[in-house]
């Protein structure tokens, strides 16, 4: 273990890698702070740039963006009342009240330290838990991995509250697009329409750049210019929030556990953990009536939780090869392009990459803490970037990234086509998380399903005769059926 840490540290401390990590941190914080962008969009933009890097350097760069983007999202929440990303939705409720009262520094300082408190201990837990879970997972066969993937997708769909059928549609659309190209195992050509370019399928970079980046920019720009938001806010220097932290020890521990557990569940991530942590902090507080009016407890809780979910999301990603949230789905795609085979054997086969993930996230959390403490007075300037200048630059980067990912114009056309798919999903109100994770997990599901069927003489029955796969499939079935039954009973009660 110490040997791998030493190797990862040696790679991290090279001038080139340090420059990329610092750049990733700063860009991640800036993109995370700007409403409508977020660290996920930045990860999609830089993904094609990582193809020429080695896997260790690429993962350090992407981890820096991941941590920086998750942390920076509180800036828009506190200063503008608009979250920079879903990771800080609940931070708006009380954080913005401090800005209205003329004391944004107290909320910003508390968020800065809370982010660090959430990230580093969660990464230490991930370092301990991943080898244990992976050692159990290597004993599983294709039946169990197929069932595990189905369980992950069902869990994501079941959380599309009020949009269960749209979640299923989004999942099906992701799997359908993933089916384009050569089928795994047998190599049959599907949905290529005789095109040589489609025989390799839709690449992850084209899908991400189109469905998420292009569609996000076009939709957000159509909503109007936001350049004047936050233009008159003044922020002074960082103040150590020692008293606020001491008064919230129990709140911090509870929120950290919530973030870690929710982050571990596939598809949950920081978007849900910060909401749950805020609700728990309010219900457990002796002064719940102060929440929503500028209570520091309601600022610390969601920010600890959303950063703790970073470590939680990395556990299934490293130990099982199943992304815990959208950002780890991008990391998985980047490693796949680099030739790294993810899954339970990744710790054994690619220890340098795994320990770089741990080290890069911890190092990035330290650097983000220092950067936000020193750079707090410039936070309002991040929100003054004119959107009519920013969005065209991003669109240009999208097209350049699509071209450089394969060095042919078909990738640009494919990216634009995926952009229309993203616009359709936005118009139809289809959730994007089930789409992204089903696209990423599609090959894993199909490959393991085909292997399981070829290994067994009992066909589909073999999935039910093996205890682990049977239990996982039953759980997946119940997660889809139970919400539907509840909806039916609720509709029957309303008619009565």
């Amino acid at each position: 273990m110490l040997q791998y840490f030493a190797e990862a540290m040696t790679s991290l401390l090279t001038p080139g890698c340090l420059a990329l990590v610092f750049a990733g941190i700063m860009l991640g914080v800036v993109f995370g702070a700007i409403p409508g962008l977020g660290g996920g969009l930045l990860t999609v933009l830089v993904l094609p740039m990582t193809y020429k890097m080695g896997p260790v350097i690429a993962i350090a760069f992407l981890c820096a963006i991941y941590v920086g983007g998750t942390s920076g999202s509180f800036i828009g929440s506190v200063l503008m009342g608009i979250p920079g990303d879903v990771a800080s939705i609940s931070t708006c409720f009380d954080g913005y009240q401090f800005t209205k009262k003329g004391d944004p520094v107290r909320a910003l300082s508390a968020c800065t330290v809370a982010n660090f408190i959430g990230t580093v201990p969660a990464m230490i837990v991930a370092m301990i838990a991943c080898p244990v879970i992976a050692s159990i997972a290597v004993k599983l066969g294709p039946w169990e991995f197929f069932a595990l993937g189905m369980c992950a997708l069902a869990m994501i769909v079941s959380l599309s509250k009020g949009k269960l059928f749209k979640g299923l549609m989004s999942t099906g659309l992701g799997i359908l697009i993933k089916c384009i190209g050569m089928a795994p195992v047998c190599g049959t050509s599907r949905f290529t329409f005789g095109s040589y370019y489609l025989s390799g399928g839709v690449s992850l970079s084209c899908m991400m750049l189109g469905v998420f980046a292009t569609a996000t920019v076009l939709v957000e720009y159509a909503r109007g210019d936001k350049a004047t938001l936050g233009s008159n806010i003044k922020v002074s220097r960082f103040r150590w929030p020692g008293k606020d932290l001491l008064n919230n020890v129990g709140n911090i521990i509870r929120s950290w556990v919530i973030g870690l557990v929710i982050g571990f569940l596939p598809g949950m991530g920081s978007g849900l953990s910060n909401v749950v942590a805020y609700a728990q902090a309010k219900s457990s507080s002796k002064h719940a009536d102060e929440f929503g009016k500028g209570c520091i407890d309601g600022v610390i809780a969601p920010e600890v939780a959303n950063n703790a979910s970073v470590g939680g999301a990395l556990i299934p990603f490293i130990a099982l090869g199943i992304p815990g949230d959208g950002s780890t789905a991008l990391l998985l795609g980047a490693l796949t392009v680099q030739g790294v085979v993810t899954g339970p054997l990744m710790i054994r086969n690619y220890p340098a990459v795994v320990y770089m993930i741990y080290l890069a996230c911890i190092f990035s959390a330290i650097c983000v803490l220092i950067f936000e403490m020193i750079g707090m007075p410039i936070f309002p300037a991040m929100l003054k970037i004119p959107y009519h200048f920013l969005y065209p630059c991003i669109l240009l980067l999208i097209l350049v990234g699509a071209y450089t990912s394969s060095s042919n114009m078909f990738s640009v056309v494919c990216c634009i086509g995926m952009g229309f798919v993203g616009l359709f999903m936005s118009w139809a109100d289809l959730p994007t998380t089930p789409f992204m994770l089903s696209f990423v997990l599609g090959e894993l599901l199909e490959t393991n399903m085909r292997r399981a069927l070829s290994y067994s003489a009992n066909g589909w029955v073999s999935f039910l005769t093996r205890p682990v796969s049977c239990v996982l499939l039953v759980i997946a079935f119940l997660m889809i059926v139970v919400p539907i039954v509840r909806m039916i009973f609720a509709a029957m009660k309303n008619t009565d």
Side-chain angles (χ1 to χ4, degrees):
M1 180 176 175
L2 293 177
Q3 174 190 352
Y4 300 134
F5 254 117
E7 292 177 4
M9 180 68 76
T10 303
S11 300
L12 180 64
L13 294 180
T14 58
C17 187
L18 280 177
L20 285 173
V21 169
F22 289 140
I25 289 166
M26 290 186 287
L27 289 173
V29 171
V30 172
F31 268 68
I34 300 175
L37 299 187
L41 176 62
L42 178 61
T43 304
V44 173
L45 290 176
V46 304
L47 196 59
M49 304 177 192
T50 63
Y51 296 165
K52 302 296 182 182
M53 305 177 188
V56 176
I57 305 299
I59 202 67
F61 183 40
L62 294 174
C63 285
I65 293 174
Y66 183 19
V67 174
T70 304
S71 177
S73 60
F74 74 81
I75 297 173
S77 297
V78 173
L79 296 183
M80 299 165 54
I82 304 174
D85 193 75
V86 293
S88 294
I89 290 176
S90 299
T91 311
C92 298
F93 303 152
D94 285 278
Y96 187 50
Q97 297 302 318
F98 284 95
T99 301
K100 284 183 174 181
K101 295 176 182 178
D103 188 19
V105 173
R106 184 183 177 190
L108 291 172
S109 300
C111 288
T112 298
V113 180
N115 288 338
F116 178 81
I117 293 173
T119 304
V120 175
M123 291 308 306
I124 295 173
V125 171
M127 291 168 56
I128 298 170
C130 284
V132 176
I133 296 175
S135 64
I136 298 172
V138 293
K139 300 176 183 177
L140 304 178
W143 302 268
E144 288 78 16
F145 275 103
F146 171 78
L148 190 61
M150 291 298 295
C151 196
L153 290 180
M155 190 178 298
I156 298 161
V157 173
S158 65
L159 283 176
S160 304
K161 294 183 178 178
K163 302 178 182 178
L164 182 65
F165 293 105
K166 289 185 177 182
L168 286 169
M169 290 173 61
S170 180
T171 302
L173 183 60
I175 293 175
L176 177 64
I177 293 177
K178 187 62 180 178
C179 286
I180 296 174
M182 307 296 287
V185 182
C186 66
T188 304
S189 198
R190 302 181 300 197
F191 305 115
T192 59
F193 306 103
S195 171
Y196 166 78
Y197 295 105
L198 285 176
S199 61
V202 178
S203 68
L204 178 73
S205 58
C206 287
M207 188 278 288
M208 294 295 183
L209 289 170
V211 172
F212 295 95
T214 303
T216 297
V217 169
L218 294 178
V219 170
E220 290 296 325
Y221 188 73
R223 290 176 179 168
D225 191 359
K226 309 171 188 175
T228 59
L229 293 173
S231 57
N232 299 319
I233 300 172
K234 303 294 181 183
V235 175
S236 59
R237 293 182 179 180
F238 170 85
R239 295 199 307 262
W240 179 253
K243 185 177 179 180
D244 291 332
L245 296 176
L246 286 174
N247 293 335
N248 280 275
V249 173
N251 187 21
I252 290 171
I253 296 173
R254 180 180 58 249
S255 300
W256 181 83
V257 173
I258 290 171
L260 185 71
V261 172
I262 292 179
F264 175 79
L265 302 175
M268 307 298 111
S270 54
L272 179 65
S273 63
N274 80 98
V275 176
V276 175
Y278 181 85
Q280 287 296 316
K282 184 176 181 179
S283 63
S284 305
S285 177
K286 296 179 180 178
H287 43 85
D289 55 317
E290 297 180 12
F291 277 70
K293 301 176 183 178
C295 179
I296 200 66
D297 302 19
V299 173
I300 293 174
E303 288 303 313
V304 170
N306 62 18
N307 282 265
S309 67
V310 172
L314 287 174
I315 295 174
F317 165 65
I318 295 172
L320 303 173
I322 295 177
D325 59 8
S327 297
T328 48
L330 295 173
L331 295 179
L332 188 147
L335 289 177
T336 302
V337 171
Q338 294 283 350
V340 175
V341 179
T342 56
L345 295 177
M346 188 170 78
I347 297 177
R348 189 189 73 180
N349 296 339
Y350 307 96
V353 173
V354 172
Y355 281 90
M356 176 56 85
I357 295 174
Y358 301 144
L359 190 59
C361 287
I362 294 173
F363 182 76
S364 297
I366 297 171
C367 292
V368 166
L369 175 67
I370 297 171
F371 173 68
E372 290 177 346
M373 288 172 63
I374 297 174
M376 191 166 290
I378 67 171
F379 282 175
M382 298 179 184
L383 308 176
K384 296 180 184 178
I385 302 174
Y387 280 67
H388 57 277
F389 291 139
L390 182 63
Y391 283 153
C393 293
I394 292 176
L395 284 174
L396 180 62
L397 287 173
I398 290 169
L399 297 177
V400 171
Y403 178 81
T404 55
S405 66
S406 61
S407 300
N408 64 67
M409 285 301 297
F410 181 80
S411 294
V412 177
V413 175
C414 186
C415 174
I416 295 172
M418 289 294 102
F420 282 108
V421 172
L423 289 175
F424 166 75
M425 293 180 66
S426 178
W427 171 78
D429 197 24
L430 299 179
T432 55
T433 302
F435 175 87
M436 177 163 54
L437 293 185
S438 63
F439 183 90
V440 172
L441 292 175
E443 187 172 354
L444 178 144
L445 286 169
E446 184 176 3
T447 300
N448 283 292
M449 180 191 71
R450 286 172 173 265
R451 286 176 179 170
L453 292 175
S454 64
Y455 293 164
S456 175
N458 297 325
W460 292 97
V461 179
S462 61
F463 288 98
L464 301 178
T465 56
R466 297 176 68 93
V468 176
S469 64
C470 181
V471 170
L472 290 173
L473 288 175
V474 169
I475 292 173
F477 177 77
L478 292 176
M479 282 191 291
I480 297 296
V481 172
V482 170
I484 295 175
V485 173
R486 286 178 178 172
M487 290 168 57
I488 294 172
F489 277 105
M492 292 172 62
K493 287 182 180 179
N494 292 333
T495 55
D496 294 340

